[in-house]
Amino acid sequence: MPLEALIFDVDGTLAETEDLHRRAFNETFAEEGLDWHWCQDDYRRLLQTTGGKERIAHHMRNLSLAPDAIDIAALHRAKTERYVRLMGDGGLDLRPGIAALITEAKDAGLTTAIATTTSHPNVDALCHACFGAPADSIFPVIACGDEVAAKKPAPDVYELALKRLDIAPDNALAFEDSSNGLRSADAAGLACIVTPSIYTSGDDFTGAECVVPDVTHIGGIEALAPLLPTPQTV
């Protein structure tokens, strides 16, 4: 089966963004007069819940707050705006080997895509900060969490990416950093390469095609095609 596309998660996979997200959350909480502060241990636990709005809701449940006690959507919009500003200030780099792998993939005629639970503005901000280019010029296909009914570990966002790519899951590889992402890709029928991030290094990655510190350990595009599922004979 030919390899046609590489589908990337964003946060933790393309770049170590999660601490910047945490900072944006904490600064937004303070700006809004909330006495919440998520330390790294707090945020590691909260990352088991995918989606920023969902993390806020989870935190509120832990505090026994009513779901309507805070306008979650407005709070999350403010956090996203702050995150984009912080991203624009610089200081964020792509993880090792990501830029080279994407360039190599494009040179080989492969399509690069995004399947993420984060929002499109966050994807745009990262691409401008790290690639110096609009997101859709790097990733012709982008599927985000706010476009689907259920976020990772549900397969919805990967299924949306595959639909937009117009290819079968057997012709693509997913790149993830978390167990929730791996489970999402697997449920969509995709083989998945995992590069754990600072917040996911202790996750269970059973079922991944391979687990490596970063994509420099893969061996380039030539090493990817053998990771696709073997066709079943009838």
Side-chain angles (χ1 to χ4, degrees), residues 6-173:
L6 306 183
I7 310 177
F8 294 88
D9 171 54
V10 173
D11 292 318
T13 300
L14 293 183
E16 290 278 11
T17 57
E18 293 297 1
D19 240 22
L20 196 63
H21 278 292
R22 186 176 68 89
R23 176 182 168 188
F25 273 117
N26 286 334
E27 291 184 4
T28 303
F29 298 155
E31 180 71 22
E32 297 297 321
L34 297 168
D35 62 350
W36 303 350
H37 182 85
W38 292 347
C39 68
Q40 286 191 335
D41 286 342
D42 293 332
Y43 201 58
R44 187 184 299 275
R45 289 189 292 271
L46 285 162
L47 283 173
Q48 296 303 310
T49 300
T50 54
K53 292 187 288 291
E54 291 77 6
R55 285 180 203 125
I56 294 171
H58 182 85
H59 185 66
M60 289 173 62
R61 288 193 296 273
N62 286 344
L63 296 176
S64 299
L65 293 174
D68 59 353
I70 292 171
D71 187 338
I72 293 175
L75 183 62
H76 187 259
R77 281 195 300 273
K79 174 264 171 181
T80 297
E81 291 169 3
R82 184 173 295 271
Y83 175 79
V84 169
R85 290 197 300 273
L86 291 172
M87 183 84 72
D89 291 340
L92 185 70
D93 296 317
L94 293 169
R95 291 189 64 184
I98 287 291
L101 180 63
I102 289 172
T103 297
E104 191 179 359
K106 290 179 178 293
D107 289 346
L110 305 183
T111 302
T112 52
I114 289 291
T116 179
T117 57
T118 199
S119 63
H120 209 298
N122 288 345
V123 179
D124 285 330
L126 185 145
C127 287
H128 279 289
C130 294
F131 292 100
D136 58 6
S137 70
I138 308 296
F139 303 100
V141 169
I142 299 174
C144 295
D146 53 6
E147 299 181 280
V148 294
K151 295 184 178 179
K152 299 174 185 178
D156 300 35
V157 75
Y158 273 109
E159 290 173 345
L160 178 59
L162 287 167
K163 180 179 180 181
R164 289 176 176 171
L165 285 164
D166 193 26
I167 62 174
D170 289 347
N171 299 114
L173 285 171

Side-chain angles (χ1 to χ4, degrees), residues 184-222:
S184 175
D186 183 63
L190 286 157
C192 185
I193 296 168
V194 174
T195 56
S197 64
I198 58 174
Y199 276 105
T200 63
S201 58
D203 283 8
D204 178 4
F205 299 121
T206 302
E209 291 304 312
C210 66
V211 181
V212 291
D214 57 61
V215 296
T216 64
H217 293 258
I218 292 171
I221 291 295
E222 308 80 25

